[in-house]
Amino acid sequence: MLLPMEPVLKTKTETLDIEGMTCASCAAFVEKSLSRTPGVQRALVNYATEKATIDYLPTEATPAALRQAVVSAGYSVVERAPDTSAAERSAELDRQKALAYQQLKRRFWVATGLAIVIMPLSMLMLWPALMARVNMPVLNYALLLLTLPVLAYSGREFYVSAWNGFKHRAANMDTLIAVGTGAAFLYSLAATVVPDFFTSRGLIPEVYYDTTATIIALILLGKVLELRAKTQTSAAMRSLMGLQAKTARVVRPDGQEVDVPIEQVQLGNIVLVRPGEKVATDGIITDGQSSLDEAMLTGESLPVTKKTGDPVFGATLNKTGSFRFEVTKVGADTMLSQIVKLVEDAQGSRAPIQRLADKVSAIFVPTVVVIAILTFVLWFDLAPAETRLPLALVNFVAVLIIACPCALGLATPTAIMVSTGKGAEHGVLIRNAEALEKAYQVNTVLLDKTGTITRGEPAVTDFVAPGQDGAQLLQVVAAVERQSEHPLAEAVVRHADDQGGDKLTATDFRAVEGKGAAATVDGQAVLIGNRRLLSDEGITLSPELKVLAEQLLSQAKTVLYVAVAGQAVGLLGVADTVRDTSAAAIKKLQALGIEVVMMTGDNPQTAAQVAGQVGIIRYFAEVLPADKAGKVKELQGEGRIVAMVGDGINDAPALAQADIGLAVGSGTDVAMEAAGITLMRSDLNGVVTAIELSRQTIRTIKQNLFFAFIYNTLGIPVAAGLLYPFFGILLSPMLAAAAMALSSVSVLANSLRLRSFDNH
């Protein structure tokens, strides 16, 4: 008895833009809050992109509940209109970031200006002669008044964030800053207001207002540099979105041409594009032809010829002629918006290599607080009585300040942000960070032959007509084939058009099923087809044509025989030709230490011919569509990490089975949906670009993680005073703040080196 199957519950995905996160610990806390929300299947929060991606069951959770989970964690959600395109949304976020950057700079300059005044006044205490002439209580009150604006305005967000975290029993980087600077300020406040409490116990009532103000100024400097660098990581996306046309010239039904804002263009509108103008949105050419620069989509610098019936895409540049097109997609549905959305999703995803950093960040802040408390206790217990409180306080603050988990949180996502944007510039769209990391591990690339190595359509490779006027005979053949709908006929017509010449007209056309076609041209009977067609008509081949036909057949080409007035006069060789770039791209892959394997449904003879042309040693022939995924499994069974490259519906199972699937952009939507990486142009150099970009990105991430871990591993013990018993070295809290800022900026700078990536 079969038990009824439980219905599969479909999840929805929601992306939220989050404000208020200051470090990786914030991201971890928001992620935990979202994960605890009923109905949430998975939540990923990216500190670098300030986005949360949540998979949830719509029957149990709502977008409002997800937003509430973020708010209850102490952070805010940036609201956005549901119908805005990815490009518009990113542009709005860029505007918000620019505003935040200006506000942050103002806070930094206020803190810096006051710190510049506070520092020299605090230095008076180092010269006893000057101290004797200064009223110290008055000076301390002056320093207090100067420091208050630094805390209340410049550093306010640190304390608000720390308080929110405390209310939710969570700690983040702001907790460390708030506790460290707060402890130094409160100690100084006590020394200012009740100095007798210290002097009665044999202690000097020292103040550390300079430490508080300077630390906040240095931390804000680090944040200014960090935010500036983070905006640079999205430079590739901004350059893409900047290409979008602002207006479109719409042709009204009465023929009137009107320029309208791009937002007002509607489906079905007819749009005129003149030379030098950008295509406003996606559509199909209805009249005219031109050459278009589609580099922003494909990374290909050469213009693409477009004619009536061909698709055009928004933001591409019209180079030569004028044309009209019918609008088929607008707003969020356009190719540009889809690319931006795909790259946004990839930047918000998490690479497996990041898991270690996430685990460390989650427990990092509480651990640092414990270390700082132990540092205070040990110094207070072991230091001389007259200096133990100041030393304990200074080292306590230094540990809290230097232990910033920002570098850990930025190590992976910033590199992912730059590389995915750079990939889009080169026509390589990476679906998620996991696909990028998988591409780094690939040691075997499995190529589907048709449409990947080859062009995927028949083309005339040879035309021989011994003793005939070849140009004239080719036009005779084309006249017959123009009336045929067979794919081989289309190849012959294309070849004749490319060669040029006067076009002829055929009459009395008839298709001979399974054999070819017959017609009359210039009063002569013409036959074009296979050998059986000629045999049925009693036409024999000359010895020379027989030899030539055998040569073409040995090269795995389809042979079309031409007869005029009952005489065999010529041959055409037709084949699915290898792309011009395939051999060079395969050679590059092999130079990277990757084995390239070909798979095809053709016979072994054709497979060997194509493999030989492009330098492939191992190939699978006569592979049925249903068996393609099995060939991927076979290679994986040999311990190989397999990248499958394909373009058709029948490639989708193999693309899904492979460790990483790469779909050529000229292929089907089904193939691209099953792939982790989409190549926007039908060129195997995109595979090389994807793998080289992946390798460089993972190297950068490993460098970032190494420096982040080493920084914290060495910095915290030094701040705690480990070197003092041996070398008399203590780390000033101000130097700790500078080092903390430098660590984050260095990780960002290392990631930004990926912007110079070029695989050419």
Side-chain angles (χ1 to χ4, degrees), residues 23-25 46-48 354 357-358 361 404-414 705 708 747:
C23 67
S25 296
N46 190 316
Y47 165 53
Q354 191 179 343
D358 289 341
S361 296
C404 168
C406 285
L408 279 175
L410 293 169
T412 299
T414 51
L705 289 172
V747 164

Side-chain angles (χ1 to χ4, degrees), residues 738-755:
M740 183 204 74
L742 184 62
S743 69
S744 296
V745 174
S746 63
V747 164
L748 282 161
N750 192 45
S751 295
L752 287 171
R753 290 192 306 115
L754 287 167
R755 292 172 64 186

Side-chain angles (χ1 to χ4, degrees), residues 599 624-634 636 650 653-654 657:
M599 176 168 60
L624 297 175
D627 297 332
K628 288 186 175 182
K631 291 301 180 184
V632 175
K633 287 182 181 179
E634 183 178 325
Q636 290 171 328
N650 57 25
Q657 173 62 41

